[in-house]
Each structure stands twice: as structure tokens, then as C-alpha cells.
Amino acid sequence: MTSIWWIRRDLRLADNPALVAAAAQGEVVPLIVRDPRLAGTGRPRRARLEASLVALDEAMNGALVVRTGDPADVVPEVADEAGATSVHVTGEYTPFGRRRDERVVERLEEAGIEAVATGTPYAVEPGTVLSGQGTPYKVFTPFSKAWREIAYVDPAPRPEVEWVRLHGEDLDHELAGFGRGSGPVGEAEALRHWREFVDERLADYGDQRNRPDLDTTSRMSVHLKLGEIHPRTMLADLHDLAPDDEGGVERYVTELAWREFYADVLWHRPDSAWSDLRDELRAMPYDSGPDTAALVDAWREGRTGFPFVDAGMRQLLEQGWMHNRLRMVTASFLVKDLHVWWPVGAQHFLDHLIDGDIASNNHGWQWVAGTGTDAAPYFRVFNPVGQGRRFDPDGAYVRRWVPELAHLDGAAAHEPWKVLDGYAHGYPEPIVDHAEERRAALDRYDRARGR
């Protein structure tokens, strides 16, 4: 029998239960459906996906079938063309993905084709970690404790697969070449990169993970996003290491747990993808109009006059990636200095981030805004200058991404207005007064909470 392996967020051949299930039924058609609704606008994001598709195609000796269109039309068409009796997928848990899959399953059932979902992009399936009362966790720490008790499972074996070759669209190798410039690409490179990180940098991860100037993070988020590696594989490697209380191993497992927590929250509250999770700040006033739009454009383009913020936003546009510390600082600036509702920034990030994941991205924005689960206190406002001086003390990160300030060292790179020639190379002055906007933000929060 022939089956379709419809590939979404699982661009790998090992540790892939959906592929194992498909191969167990006979020949397999490996299908990618380009959905124009998910393309994003940033070239780095599109290029990185294309590079991953090229790597997967090479790993299966050119068997990958690429089609473009609405999956509800394309998947049944390919199944009919191949004479397939079943379509296998990894389970999907985002609101968009769940709605899409319901439509595809309905069309397949009409055609008498079985739809089979096996596995999940997460170590633990969203919706299954529950409290003793059978309710979802609303706070990270108890979720993490319960999750750790069931998260460590042996990876699935890589199956022997007989591929069915159908005609498909050509991949864009020029675009993929640009995508390879972002770092390691594909399953083999993801595994190599991961194990190199474990061997060489994991021990220092707990101490150095907040320093964008040192670039000591694992950068595994894009591999997880695209499914070039499964968190089950990573947890198995970490489980084999000696445990530590506050070092790299425990800190890294905690970061994986945050990813799983946000996916679980989104599963239970799909409305939180684009609206406030908590009601306390529903009355919060936000700014809009032409003047605010101009400020948002300056934020998007890295022209705010705050070097640490601008460095992060420029890296996002050029590389499609940003250090997590910068994600928090830039998000805080938009929400609390410019008084703009968080979905505006969340959408911009998703358009450009090569690792953009709606659960982690949008709930991370809500953490900053004070509207989400485990939310930062509403009165927490990141100081863009203080954050830069603390986490980029020598100004190396700023000088790399803001060349107008390359002549400044140390603290001067974060406060060019204090240096005689700080604006000698055309860098803009600050678009707002942070101290004033912080007071305004706190006043708005107090009024929204009825104080």
C-alpha cells in the first residue's frame, strides 16, 4: 500500500513517529505543501525554510514532492494521484493548524482516505500535563515539575523507507543558499550543532545565556521550530549527563520546559494567540494614529535612538534572529515606551524570525506586556540603556549592528548623547524620553486596574 507523509513541522527522518507509521504501511510519498498564508514577509525566514527543504530533499535522494496551495485541496489531490490509502502527519496544536487539519481530514474522509496523526512536535503532547484536580496548569513552576516526570522518553528509530517519486515544484536553490548563511541547516547539521553545543558550551550556558555580545546560546530554536531535531532527542542527551542544580543542564531543560508550557497554554486557550490571556488589563489604553505609526516604523527599522533596542531590531531584519534578552527589551520598548498593544510587535516578529513559533513568541510578548500567564509584574519596565550596559558591557553587540556607533566604546555605545561626537555618524536621537514614558506606562496600568 501507498501512504502520504505530509510534512509540516517535522523536517527530519530520525525520531519521527509519523514517518515510522507511514513506512510501516508500505511505500511513502513525502509531501510538502507550501501554504501562502504561512510564508511570512521576511526574506531570512523564507530562505531558512527553503534551505531546510533542500537539505531534506537531499537526505531522501530527491524524493521530496513540493506543491503549493490550500492543503485541503492539495493533500487529497496528491493522495488520489498516488493511489494512497492513508495520510500520515505529526499532530498539530496551534489554532490555525488545528482548523486547517480539520478541513483536510474532512476532505480525505470524503474520498475514503484515512488520516492518521502520530506524535507531536513536543516532548509531551500539549493538553496532557494536568494538575491533581485534572485541570491545566496556569503557572510555569508546577507545570515544569509535572512535565519533567514524563518528559524523558526514548527517541523513535529511523525507519527504512521506500519513497514514491511524483512530480513536484522545483526548490529555490538560490534562496536556500541565502538561508544557509544563517547557520547550520538540516537534520544532520542540527544534530552535529546540538552535540557540539553540549560538549563545548553547555557547561557555561547558565552563566552566559543572557549575553548577546558573547553569543553563547545554543541557537537550537530554529531547528526545533522546523523539526530538524525533536526535543525528545535533546532531552535524551541531557538525561545522560550528570545532573547539576543551577548549571547548564538544568537551565537548558528549563528552557525546553518553557517552550512546552507555552504550547500547553495555547492548546487550552487558543484565543490567547492574539488576545490578552488575562482580563485584568483588558481596559488598558494603547496609542494609535499616524504619529504612533511613525514611532512603530522607527522601532521596526532600528531607528529609535536607543542603541541596544536598535541593534536587536536590525539583527532581526538582517538575520531573522534575535537573542532572547533583546526580544524582551525590544518588546518592552514597544509596549511600555511607545504604548502599543503587543500583537503589533508579535506579528512583526513572526513575519521575520526564522524560529518564529506562535506559542512561544506570542506568550513571550504577553509575559512582557503583563497580560499573560506567569506574567511579569505589570510595573516591570525594561530600561533599554540599563539593559545594554548590563548585558553588553563593552558595547560589542551594539557596535556590530549599529555601525554609526562603531567609534564608541563601553558605556558610551549605549548612551551616545553623553559623548561629544556621539552623533557624528548620523545616528538618530532618542524618539522618546524613557523616564517619562515609564511613568506614563505605570499610570496607564494603574488606571486599567482600577486604582
Side-chain angles (χ1 to χ4, degrees):
M1 292 192 295
T2 299
S3 62
I4 306 293
W5 171 37
W6 178 21
I7 308 164
R8 290 94 69 85
R9 290 197 290 163
D10 51 347
L11 277 65
R12 66 185 182 280
L13 303 179
D15 195 5
N16 193 324
L19 177 58
V20 171
Q25 292 195 334
E27 301 177 326
V28 178
V29 178
L31 173 65
I32 283 282
V33 181
R34 296 187 190 274
D35 190 334
R37 295 168 293 181
L38 299 177
T41 59
R43 186 167 185 249
R45 180 178 173 89
R46 292 182 288 106
R48 181 57 180 80
L49 173 58
E50 197 73 8
S52 189
L53 294 178
V54 168
L56 182 63
D57 187 46
E58 291 173 349
M60 56 180 66
N61 298 315
L64 186 64
V65 178
V66 180
R67 303 284 176 89
T68 297
D70 185 338
D73 297 323
V74 175
V75 174
E77 289 172 359
V78 174
D80 179 67
E81 180 181 338
T85 57
S86 60
V87 173
H88 291 262
V89 297
T90 298
E92 181 56 78
Y93 301 90
T94 66
F96 173 87
R98 290 159 69 178
R99 292 192 302 269
R100 175 201 60 201
D101 285 5
E102 288 173 359
R103 293 176 57 238
V104 173
V105 168
E106 182 179 350
R107 293 286 300 277
L108 290 172
E109 289 178 346
E110 291 173 355
I113 299 170
E114 183 183 16
V116 184
T118 310
T120 162
Y122 303 96
V124 178
E125 183 177 11
T128 59
V129 181
L130 301 173
S131 70
Q133 291 72 44
T135 58
Y137 287 100
K138 297 181 179 180
V139 178
F140 171 72
T141 299
F143 172 90
S144 176
K145 291 179 180 178
W147 173 84
R148 286 169 185 257
E149 294 179 1
I150 57 176
Y152 296 96
V153 179
D154 290 339
R158 177 170 174 168
E160 293 291 331
V161 185
E162 183 177 353
W163 303 114
V164 175
R165 297 177 182 272
L166 301 179
H167 73 88
E169 301 165 10
D170 293 334
L171 293 167
D172 188 336
H173 287 266
E174 181 178 352
L175 184 63
F178 178 78
R180 283 191 290 272
S182 66
V185 169
E187 179 181 11
E189 285 294 295
L191 285 167
R192 180 196 61 76
H193 179 69
W194 163 243
R195 283 163 183 161
E196 180 181 276
F197 170 78
V198 170
D199 292 341
E200 299 178 7
R201 304 198 305 282
L202 177 61
D204 296 324
Y205 178 76
D207 296 328
Q208 298 181 349
R209 64 189 181 87
N210 276 310
R211 292 282 299 274
D213 57 328
L214 301 180
D215 198 19
T216 55
T217 62
S218 69
R219 294 224 184 186
M220 290 301 298
S221 54
V222 64
H223 302 298
L224 286 167
K225 159 64 180 176
L226 296 174
E228 295 173 341
I229 192 171
H230 196 280
R232 183 172 44 235
T233 298
M234 300 167 70
L235 285 167
D237 288 344
L238 294 172
H239 192 256
D240 291 339
L241 300 175
D244 52 15
D245 293 331
E246 298 180 357
V249 174
E250 282 304 303
R251 184 67 253 179
Y252 204 93
V253 172
T254 297
E255 294 303 316
L256 290 174
W258 271 107
R259 178 177 181 267
E260 307 250 334
F261 176 59
Y262 281 148
D264 192 75
V265 171
L266 187 60
W267 168 260
H268 290 288
R269 287 286 306 277
D271 60 302
S272 68
W274 294 107
S275 62
D276 293 352
L277 180 70
R278 304 195 314 180
D279 293 332
E280 291 93 321
L281 297 177
R282 291 287 173 91
M284 180 75 175
Y286 295 101
D287 291 350
S288 60
D291 291 343
T292 298
L295 294 174
V296 173
D297 284 344
W299 173 81
R300 288 187 177 119
E301 297 165 8
R303 297 184 291 102
T304 69
F306 290 89
F308 203 47
V309 171
D310 292 341
M313 298 306 293
R314 294 183 189 190
Q315 183 183 19
L316 173 64
L317 291 178
E318 183 171 327
Q319 290 190 343
W321 191 85
M322 192 195 304
H323 190 284
N324 189 59
R325 174 59 49 175
L326 270 300
R327 299 187 195 203
M328 292 188 290
V329 172
T330 57
S332 178
F333 188 86
L334 182 72
V335 174
K336 296 178 178 177
D337 284 70
L338 303 186
H339 314 296
V340 173
W341 194 33
W342 64 264
V344 174
Q347 184 62 66
H348 181 71
F349 273 25
L350 285 179
D351 283 342
H352 292 276
L353 284 170
I354 61 176
D355 63 356
D357 173 271
I358 192 169
S360 294
N361 180 72
N362 291 29
H363 285 105
W365 271 88
Q366 294 215 51
W367 184 91
V368 170
T371 63
T373 186
D374 263 24
Y378 73 94
F379 51 79
R380 179 179 295 166
V381 182
F382 285 100
N383 184 318
V385 176
Q387 289 284 306
R389 295 182 65 174
R390 180 180 178 185
F391 297 111
D392 181 29
D394 297 324
Y397 178 76
V398 162
R399 287 194 299 276
R400 177 181 179 187
W401 292 105
V402 186
E404 304 99 303
L405 303 179
H407 61 297
L408 302 179
D409 294 325
H414 296 285
E415 300 176 277
W417 48 87
K418 290 187 176 181
V419 182
L420 182 62
D421 64 345
Y423 295 107
H425 300 280
Y427 185 65
E429 296 186 13
I431 59 175
V432 295
D433 183 311
H434 171 69
E436 290 184 5
E437 301 307 333
R438 179 181 183 278
R439 287 192 292 269
L442 295 180
D443 179 64
R444 292 179 187 221
Y445 275 88
D446 283 342
R447 285 188 283 122
R449 292 165 61 89
R451 292 189 175 185

